[in-house]
Amino acid sequence: MIWDELTTLDFEGIDRKIPVLLVMSATEQHGPHLPLATDRLIGEHFAHSLHKKIPNDIIVLPAMSIGCSDHHMDFMGSLTLSHETFMSHVEDTVSSVIHHGFTNIVLLNSHGGNQAVGQVLVEKLGNTYPGVQIVMATWWKLGGSKLGMLNEGGAMSTGHAGEFETSIMLLIAPHLVRIDKYEKGKHTKTHPWAEGDMLHPPKIVLHRSIKEMTSNGVYGNPTYATKAKGLEITKLILDGLQRIVLDLKEL
């Protein structure tokens, strides 16, 4: 079910244990070859693809299209919310859902900059609503070791606007992918313990803006992207996401 396509009367017969999913995304630069909407389009792709598989076991909320993207603001077009505004938006939305009696909430994150504040939200909302199960899942963490098997470009290929994001975009919005503008990330070296990508996130956190990390806004290698890989990624992520949703409903 799609939350804002329902009428008020439709809600009367809905089981309040059905998980309600909120996509947390961003509007920000993705190098010279991907649109600003990349994170939103990817998050919505997973949410609505899952809805097609289990339409009666999930309710999808309108996506949050702007996230915490201060570190991208050196690049034209990027939009950002402060951490405080982002948290208030999510808190108010989730509180509204809980007000209507729903007890299972899934925050599906599709932007790296939302991860830390998302963890705070899970803890804060969880303490505020002890009878509600609240989960945050960042999509690239759902694929497990099988996701790594799809990586062809090696270390640092699957970062921002790299191999994986570009593959998904070739699947879901090929008309928005500027294939002629593909560039490998122009990575700037830093401490080895602070480098990483989707598959190998750094164990030690060092704050750097994207401009400091890569001068062209790409942290990865889109030249290894394919539509077929986008489909394989989608299957893996949907398997993991479906398992979470159905597990929540059972308890």
Side-chain angles (χ1 to χ4, degrees):
M1 293 167 276
I2 306 299
W3 185 280
D4 58 2
E5 291 182 4
L6 299 169
T7 68
T8 296
L9 293 179
D10 289 335
F11 278 94
E12 291 181 2
I14 294 176
D15 182 356
R16 294 311 197 255
K17 290 181 69 175
I18 292 177
V20 179
L21 185 149
L22 174 64
V23 171
M24 304 189 308
S25 64
T27 300
E28 63 185 26
Q29 71 83 28
H30 275 75
H33 67 288
L34 292 180
L36 299 172
T38 292
D39 287 344
R40 176 180 61 81
L41 293 172
I42 289 175
E44 289 182 331
H45 164 63
F46 291 135
H48 289 277
S49 295
L50 180 65
H51 174 256
K52 288 180 181 178
K53 291 185 67 177
I54 52 171
N56 296 318
D57 294 308
I58 186 76
I59 305 177
V60 179
L61 289 164
M64 281 190 64
S65 60
I66 302 176
C68 298
S69 299
D70 276 336
H71 52 304
H72 285 273
M73 293 303 288
D74 288 330
F75 290 92
M76 185 64 66
S78 300
L79 303 176
T80 192
L81 298 178
S82 68
H83 288 93
E84 293 77 13
T85 300
F86 180 86
M87 287 185 65
S88 293
H89 190 150
V90 175
E91 283 186 79
D92 288 351
T93 301
V94 171
S95 295
S96 297
V97 172
I98 294 172
H99 175 83
H100 295 300
F102 291 93
T103 58
N104 291 307
I105 310 296
V106 178
L107 306 177
L108 178 60
N109 180 40
S110 62
H111 167 53
N114 294 340
Q115 291 183 95
V117 69
Q119 179 63 40
V120 174
L121 278 162
V122 170
E123 295 179 15
K124 187 174 182 182
L125 288 166
N127 288 323
T128 303
Y129 301 102
V132 178
Q133 295 187 101
I134 299 175
V135 173
M136 183 186 72
T138 295
W139 74 255
W140 55 88
K141 295 184 177 181
L142 289 170
S145 59
K146 291 182 179 179
L147 187 61
M149 295 172 65
L150 299 176
N151 173 218
E152 294 181 280
M156 307 304 170
S157 180
T158 63
H160 185 76
E163 182 178 350
F164 284 178
E165 285 191 322
T166 305
S167 291
I168 298 168
M169 288 297 289
L170 286 172
L171 173 70
I172 67 176
H175 61 292
L176 297 178
V177 181
R178 282 71 162 179
I179 297 176
D180 61 322
K181 300 292 186 182
Y182 279 1
E183 290 182 7
K184 297 179 183 178
K186 297 180 179 179
H187 302 167
T188 303
K189 279 198 170 187
T190 186
H191 310 287
W193 43 262
E195 293 184 338
D197 60 7
M198 289 178 176
L199 293 177
H200 308 97
K203 295 181 180 180
I204 307 298
V205 177
L206 171 68
H207 180 270
R208 291 190 295 161
S209 70
I210 291 296
K211 192 81 169 185
E212 291 174 309
M213 296 170 67
T214 168
S215 61
N216 64 350
V218 177
Y219 199 83
N221 190 345
T223 65
Y224 287 96
T226 67
K227 177 181 177 180
K229 190 177 296 181
L231 182 59
E232 290 301 312
I233 293 170
T234 297
K235 290 177 181 176
L236 287 175
I237 303 311
L238 289 184
D239 285 347
L241 190 56
Q242 180 173 326
R243 184 168 59 251
I244 290 171
V245 167
L246 296 182
D247 282 351
L248 287 173
K249 189 181 176 185
E250 291 303 312
L251 292 177

